[in-house]
Amino acid sequence: MLAGLGHAGGQGSSAYSQSVLWAPSAVADVASRELPMAMGRPEIGALIEGFAASARIAVDAGLDGVELDAGPLSVLRQFHSGLTNLRDDEFGQDRLLLTRDVITAVRRAVGPDHIVGLRLSCDELAPWAGVTPEHAADQVEALADSSTC
């Protein structure tokens, strides 16, 4: 049994928390039109640590591991996509960097005897800038070596 770990990023809602949403870039969500803040280094560090801490809690509770969500509604997918990642730093130059950092931190947190899986979004239906099946195949290849999911 695996725990699914994710963060909605800019596709969440601030209605309940009354806190600004975090996203790779300040790009309004197409459905809600809510405008998130572009994550800085403190938020990126907190996100990575949050994934690692949650994974540790899951395995300490007796689960076999975790599945990291980089699917359609995930902040990790938002970092992968040219639609939502307009950054000019290393997280924009290498759109998989955050996911690799999360995988590495989670693997370190759960150890080698637990499962670390990854759910990817493989088609954003926006070939002009979004993730396409071809991009997804390249992402799988690039991430497969990331600290042995």
Side-chain angles (χ1 to χ4, degrees), residues 38-110:
M39 295 169 69
R41 298 230 181 260
E43 293 82 18
I44 289 171
L47 182 77
I48 294 167
E49 179 52 37
F51 271 104
S54 298
R56 183 78 245 157
I57 290 167
V59 299
D60 285 349
L63 297 180
D64 299 310
V66 297
E67 179 186 61
L68 305 173
D69 185 4
L73 300 177
S74 167
V75 73
L76 296 178
R77 191 268 317 148
Q78 293 161 34
F79 269 85
H80 297 177
S81 176
L83 297 171
T84 48
N85 184 345
L86 308 178
R87 299 173 74 95
D88 59 6
D89 65 0
E90 67 269 25
F91 293 98
Q93 295 163 8
D94 178 359
R95 292 189 174 135
L96 300 179
L97 179 59
L98 178 61
T99 300
R100 272 196 291 279
D101 288 351
V102 167
I103 291 169
T104 300
V106 167
R107 171 54 67 204
R108 190 175 307 126
V110 302

Side-chain angles (χ1 to χ4, degrees), residues 81 83 121-133:
S81 176
L83 297 171
S121 176
C122 295
D123 195 351
E124 290 185 295
L125 303 175
W128 59 91
V131 175
T132 65

